[in-house]
Amino acid sequence: MRRVALLLTVCGWLTAVMALGWTLCLLKLASWQAALIPAPGVAAGLLAVWFGSRGRPYIGGTIECVALYTMVCLTSLFLDQTTDQMPRTTHLFLVPLATGAYMALRGSSKLLRHGIVAFIFLTFVVLACTSLGGHPAHNLPDELRIIGGKVNTVAAAVAMYLAMHIMQADVEARNAYESDLREAVRTGQLALHYQPQVDHDGRMLGAEALLRWPHPRRGMISPAEFIPLAEKSGLILPMGEWVLDTACAHLAELATHPDTAHLTISVNISVHQIRQPDFVVQAMAAIERHKVDPRRLKMELTESVFARDMDDLITKMKALKQYGVSFSLDDFGTGYSSLSYLKRLPLDQLKIDQAFVRDLLTQPRDLAIAKTIVDLGTSLNMAVMAEGVETREQHQILEAMGCRQFQGYLFGKPMPMAALLEQATRTHAHTPAPAPARPTEEPRAGAPVHA
Ligand code: C2E
Ligand code: MG
Ligand code: MG
């Protein structure tokens, strides 16, 4: 991601400077109509840099890509047509552009990525192999095109070299990151933290297990950052197995104390994990290994599991449910929600995504969505839990709309098992009203880890 932003910054500045140079040059040596072609490139380049610096590289990248492509095509077709004296050269910029687009679109679908890159290369081939162009009278004088040709060739070569360099550095950084993660899984560097889940009286019902990676150099890394890499590299399978096993071990620990024996643990299950043919056996083996009550284990699925093979998913869920495990639908409302899934799947709980909870007080639409989810879950006989509850006001509104289960910083941040045990014992003894969590309970993602 950082390299995409860097690529964007370099390309943005290069575009703005080149476009400004050509605009001034064409104003002086040709006509103002000719200068109109590169002029928007100045604004587009600067906009791309601006969006890149604001953490929105995809918007910046799209502006940059469209502006560069349009500028290069218009210049090639109208101002830089092949003559007996000089072949056209502006289309050379399409090669680094295609390389940059290939890199920037690596997170998108294969169809989009290869489609756009193939389209740019196709344009390159057409402009290189044909004399396709507008009226010859629009063409710049050959003397100017000869100088411009040299500038274009050098600049396109430099841009290509930069794109290659950034691409290689990116591959190396990703490989290093992946091998760090592999090592972390192998040597047991990962940790499970637990975030309390409470009922309407503030009594703890259980906790959600959330992965943490205390990286020796980079500090605490959030799962939102490393889970996608783990899913891509297949590491999610050993990682998920470890999470299930550790959560069961912690459930066994909770069961030994009367104040915590009733608590449940919710485990996030990745789509890749549940698609494994032996997932049910694996889960049951973890439960039996630690001799825990399967009714205390909850599995959180996201809507991504609905994308394919629903029959297989339902068979696995039913087998585990019969065994005692319960299921929750996480981040409800943000994915490919379909009401027919709710009917077909043996779900026990819906979790209102924190995106709707965050702006409950200010966005009437979020309020309406949250209320609809509560009503839907209640009428389908499911428990409804609100995630990401941070303030008393959010808690009160959710409670007034009929929500009875809550999770969020208001009740406790994710914390190590020892701290959860301490909080559970304390709240069990006093059953107090929900108190804001102490902000020091968990180091922030990116904060240095002290061994
Ligand atoms: P999730 O399952 O939806 O977990 C809730 C996320 O919201 C957690 O982020 C939690 O720390 C955060 N959160 C909870 N309360 C609040 C609040 O009041 N305010 C705010 N701003 N945030 C709150 P976290 O721990 O960074 O986890 C992110 C995601 O990573 C999880 O979202 C889950 O999808 C994934 N994940 C975490 N652990 C695992 C795991 O063991 N396996 C799999 N497959 N995914 C995991
Ligand atoms: Mg979850
Ligand atoms: Mg969630």
Side-chain angles (χ1 to χ4, degrees):
M1 196 65 178
R2 269 182 314 162
R3 281 172 180 81
V4 171
L6 177 64
L7 179 70
L8 193 62
T9 310
V10 172
C11 289
W13 279 117
L14 211 68
T15 309
V17 171
M18 286 282 295
L20 184 65
W22 273 112
T23 309
L24 296 176
C25 190
L26 293 176
L27 266 179
K28 198 167 160 55
L29 302 173
S31 61
W32 66 267
Q33 288 98 328
L36 280 182
I37 293 180
V42 182
L46 294 177
L47 266 179
V49 173
W50 189 78
F51 275 112
S53 68
R54 300 273 139 171
R56 309 184 79 173
Y58 289 101
I59 302 183
T62 310
I63 295 174
E64 172 75 15
C65 202
V66 172
L68 269 178
Y69 180 83
T70 316
M71 245 164 55
V72 170
C73 289
L74 290 178
T75 309
S76 298
L77 290 172
F78 293 102
L79 307 178
D80 189 24
Q81 300 174 53
T82 298
T83 61
D84 294 342
Q85 295 289 308
M86 181 69 196
R88 77 170 126 222
T89 51
T90 317
H91 66 290
L92 293 177
F93 285 108
L94 292 176
V95 178
L97 178 64
T99 313
Y102 188 78
M103 190 176 149
L105 290 168
R106 63 156 177 251
S108 314
S109 72
K110 277 190 181 153
L111 189 69
L112 187 72
R113 184 185 198 183
H114 291 291
I116 288 182
V117 173
F119 182 70
I120 299 174
F121 273 126
L122 185 71
T123 315
F124 171 78
V125 172
V126 171
L127 290 172
C129 300
T130 67
S131 53
L132 195 73
H135 198 282
H138 294 144
N139 219 18
L140 294 177
D142 278 349
E143 311 79 70
L144 184 60
R145 290 182 56 244
I146 289 170
I147 302 167
K150 287 175 187 154
V151 174
N152 285 346
T153 310
V154 171
V158 169
M160 187 61 208
Y161 180 76
L162 279 175
M164 274 162 48
H165 177 74
I166 293 174
M167 217 168 177
Q168 176 61 18
D170 188 55
V171 168
E172 280 168 16
R174 285 174 150 251
N175 286 347
Y177 192 24
E178 191 180 317
S179 79
D180 279 0
L181 187 56
R182 201 172 290 280
E183 188 65 8
V185 176
R186 201 179 61 78
T187 57
Q189 276 176 35
L190 298 177
L192 263 194
H193 281 197
Y194 291 90
Q195 184 174 33
Q197 299 177 324
V198 303
D199 70 5
H200 58 285
D201 285 331
R203 267 189 304 256
M204 204 185 287
L205 298 167
E208 177 173 7
L210 293 160
L211 260 172
R212 294 293 178 263
W213 180 13
H215 193 282
R217 292 184 308 280
R218 298 181 53 198
M220 192 65 87
I221 303 183
S222 152
E225 193 181 324
F226 68 83
I227 294 277
L229 174 67
E231 290 190 328
K232 220 170 186 176
S233 61
L235 279 169
I236 193 71
L237 300 181
M239 201 184 265
E241 210 172 315
W242 177 84
V243 169
L244 251 179
D245 192 71
T246 310
C248 287
H250 284 149
L251 259 182
E253 201 178 328
L254 292 176
T256 58
H257 198 287
D259 288 351
T260 55
H262 65 287
L263 298 180
T264 59
I265 287 185
S266 303
V267 176
N268 290 287
I269 303 291
S270 145
V271 56
H272 303 273
Q273 231 178 316
I274 204 160
R275 278 198 193 136
Q276 279 185 292
D278 63 345
F279 176 72
V280 174
V281 178
Q282 209 186 86
M284 288 180 181
I287 292 168
E288 304 218 324
R289 196 160 37 245
H290 297 283
K291 300 187 176 54
V292 291
D293 181 350
R295 288 169 306 173
R296 302 266 155 257
L297 182 67
K298 197 177 283 169
M299 294 189 177
E300 291 195 5
L301 307 174
T302 54
E303 288 153 328
S304 57
V305 295
F306 304 156
R308 62 169 215 245
D309 212 349
M310 283 292 286
D311 292 336
D312 177 61
L313 175 71
I314 293 172
T315 311
K316 285 174 176 157
M317 284 176 75
K318 280 191 173 157
L320 283 166
K321 197 163 158 101
Q322 216 160 22
Y323 188 63
V325 176
S326 52
F327 286 93
S328 173
L329 191 52
D330 203 359
D331 306 339
F332 183 66
T334 55
Y336 306 97
S337 322
S338 160
L339 296 183
S340 69
Y341 294 143
L342 295 188
K343 203 177 74 178
R344 288 180 68 196
L345 294 172
L347 288 164
D348 303 274
Q349 185 185 56
L350 288 183
K351 288 184 87 174
I352 308 176
D353 189 68
Q354 47 183 291
F356 304 120
V357 175
R358 194 178 306 129
D359 298 321
L360 268 185
L361 296 148
T362 51
Q363 298 286 335
R365 278 170 186 249
D366 288 349
L367 189 77
I369 292 173
K371 172 90 179 90
T372 308
I373 298 176
V374 172
D375 291 345
L376 183 70
T378 313
S379 55
L380 290 173
N381 237 349
M382 291 181 207
V384 180
M385 177 174 283
E387 278 194 282
V389 184
E390 291 184 352
T391 65
R392 284 181 187 279
E393 290 76 15
Q394 288 169 342
H395 179 224
Q396 277 162 4
I397 294 183
L398 286 159
E399 207 171 19
M401 60 175 71
C403 185
R404 292 288 171 265
Q405 300 184 353
F406 308 90
Q407 181 182 339
Y409 293 170
L410 181 64
F411 311 98
K413 286 192 169 181
M415 59 187 96
M417 187 37 120
L420 183 89
L421 271 171
E422 200 261 321
Q423 180 168 334
T425 321
R426 188 162 31 92
T427 49
H428 194 263
H430 307 295
T431 49
R438 279 169 294 169
T440 49
E441 271 156 348
E442 188 184 42
R444 266 178 300 111
V449 176
H450 303 290

